[in-house]
Amino acid sequence: MSPEAAAPADPHAAARLRARGLRLGFAVTGALAVEALRGADLPILAPMIALQLLALSPQPPGAKLLAMLFGAAAVSSLVAWVIASFTVSIPGAYPLGMGVLYLWCFALAMHPKTGPLGAMALTMTIVVGALSAASTEAAAGIALSLLMSILAGAATVYVAFAVFPAPPPPPAAAPVEPAEGEETPAQAAAETAGDPVVAPAFRAALATMVMLPLHMWLTADGGVAAMPVLFTCSSMLRQPGVAASLRDSLTRLAGTAAGGVAAMAANGIAQLHPQAALSVAVVATISMFFAWQLSKGPRHMQVWMPGFVTFLALYGMTLSPTLGGDDVAAVERLWQTAVGAGYTLCAVSLLAPVALRVTRRRAAASRA
């Protein structure tokens, strides 16, 4: 039996995981409901931020971390908008600028200590980058709405910790819950199968090489429909063992597909029975399912985190007046997301051996 499967036998660990799952489901549902009620331009942003904050840290963010998150969001948003505004007429300048920005975001996201900053920077880069590709004026015009969404996402995190606080640790030292993106020894062994662990810098470069062509292709026609695909793929690229094996890759793709199917089901129910209370209940039920899966441990998080992101991105678009509202073609968006996820897995599977080869050479050189 794996350590992860045996973990719930500890009542203290089970209580912590249960509280974490309840916080995830509560915060995501609350953030999406608040954003929908206030008619936010991008209702997907607040629940996405709440999900990332709760998944990355078992503790409520302190004032210093919150200020750093706002700084990362502001810098990445401003840089993405400047790149889109001033490099459109310069051949090759736009992909170069976005490539450097993605590299910076992934470098932050791959390092355990700066993971929350990288996740926030990636989220805002995707949002502002996709909107600026459609219209730089539109991206600048909804800046205040984006700020309100960030505040709403952070506020729901604090409310979730207040409603579902973490139980006190046992008398003995409790094991620390690993953050998303932080590899345990077992994960590292499963990912590399005896090979050296790829350094965060190489993983960031690999993720950028996969992400940038997808961004350029999806935003070439100025379509903001790129957001769900880019959100899903960036979430997959941040997971430690995305290309560990064919079996693991297929399970990650299945998790993403589950998120898409859940979004279609929620949208279908909302259209048949357009009652706000019913929609909130459906979103809460689906969110609790994904939160329950995420709370089982780091390996489950690698599979179900992209699926949760896919659900939020696809369903949240149906609530957005900016992205098309109820006229969003759910099946077409689901198909695009599935193709993007498949592309991500194939591209990483092809490029990962190169990163491993370089890592082996560096390890051999350091031992020599």
Side-chain angles (χ1 to χ4, degrees):
M1 181 179 294
S2 66
E4 189 175 329
D10 180 1
H12 296 285
R16 288 195 301 273
L17 293 178
R18 183 167 57 251
R20 189 181 188 187
L22 291 172
R23 284 195 298 267
L24 278 167
F26 174 84
V28 167
T29 304
L32 189 60
V34 168
E35 292 294 272
L37 287 174
R38 78 177 185 89
D41 292 292
L42 292 173
I44 58 176
L45 185 55
M48 201 80 70
I49 290 172
L51 171 62
Q52 291 171 347
L53 288 177
L54 289 170
L56 287 166
S57 175
Q59 302 295 331
K64 181 179 178 180
L65 177 58
L66 200 59
M68 294 173 66
L69 289 172
F70 273 97
V75 170
S76 56
S77 301
L78 179 61
V79 172
W81 184 83
V82 169
I83 290 172
S85 300
F86 296 99
T87 64
V88 175
S89 59
I90 305 175
Y94 179 72
L96 177 62
M98 290 303 300
V100 172
L101 181 56
Y102 270 124
L103 182 62
W104 174 69
C105 293
F106 277 116
L108 290 176
M110 298 301 182
H111 197 283
K113 292 184 179 180
T114 58
L117 302 181
M120 177 68 78
L122 271 172
T123 299
M124 299 310 298
T125 295
I126 291 171
V127 169
V128 179
L131 288 174
S132 299
S135 170
T136 54
E137 291 79 7
I142 65 171
L144 180 59
S145 179
L146 295 180
L147 176 61
M148 294 297 296
S149 294
I150 295 175
L151 291 173
T156 55
V157 169
Y158 286 107
V159 173
F161 272 104
V163 177
F164 301 106
V176 179
E177 295 183 46
E180 183 199 7
E182 182 177 357
E183 295 177 336
T184 63
Q187 287 176 289
E191 178 183 358
T192 59
D195 289 317
V197 177
V198 178
F202 285 118
R203 289 180 58 200
L206 175 67
T208 302
M209 292 174 64
V210 175
M211 192 75 172
L212 184 59
L214 190 65
H215 176 96
M216 299 303 299
W217 176 55
L218 291 173
T219 60
D221 59 351
V224 293
M227 269 190 264
V229 185
L230 296 176
F231 276 136
T232 299
C233 294
S234 69
S235 178
M236 295 177 70
L237 289 168
R238 295 200 308 272
Q239 307 307 317
V242 69
S245 67
L246 177 61
R247 184 190 64 184
D248 287 348
S249 298
L250 291 177
T251 55
R252 285 175 174 81
L253 195 58
T256 302
V261 172
M264 290 182 60
N267 185 40
I269 294 174
Q271 289 183 345
L272 288 175
H273 305 282
Q275 290 88 14
L278 179 60
S279 297
V280 171
V282 170
V283 171
T285 301
I286 296 174
S287 297
M288 287 304 303
F289 168 78
F290 281 104
W292 172 59
Q293 296 295 334
L294 292 178
S295 297
K296 289 183 177 181
R299 295 287 293 178
H300 286 79
M301 182 174 288
Q302 293 176 31
V303 176
W304 292 100
M305 184 68 170
F308 205 171
V309 170
T310 301
F311 164 70
L312 289 176
L314 289 176
Y315 182 71
M317 290 186 74
T318 66
L319 306 175
S320 171
T322 301
L323 302 182
D326 293 334
D327 296 329
V328 171
V331 176
E332 181 180 354
R333 298 284 166 80
L334 175 59
W335 173 247
Q336 290 175 346
T337 303
V339 171
Y343 156 80
T344 301
L345 292 175
C346 293
V348 172
S349 299
L350 291 174
L351 295 175
V354 178
L356 284 173
R357 195 175 301 117
V358 174
T359 303
R360 291 194 204 101
R361 290 177 180 175
R362 289 171 62 92
S366 63
R367 289 194 299 266

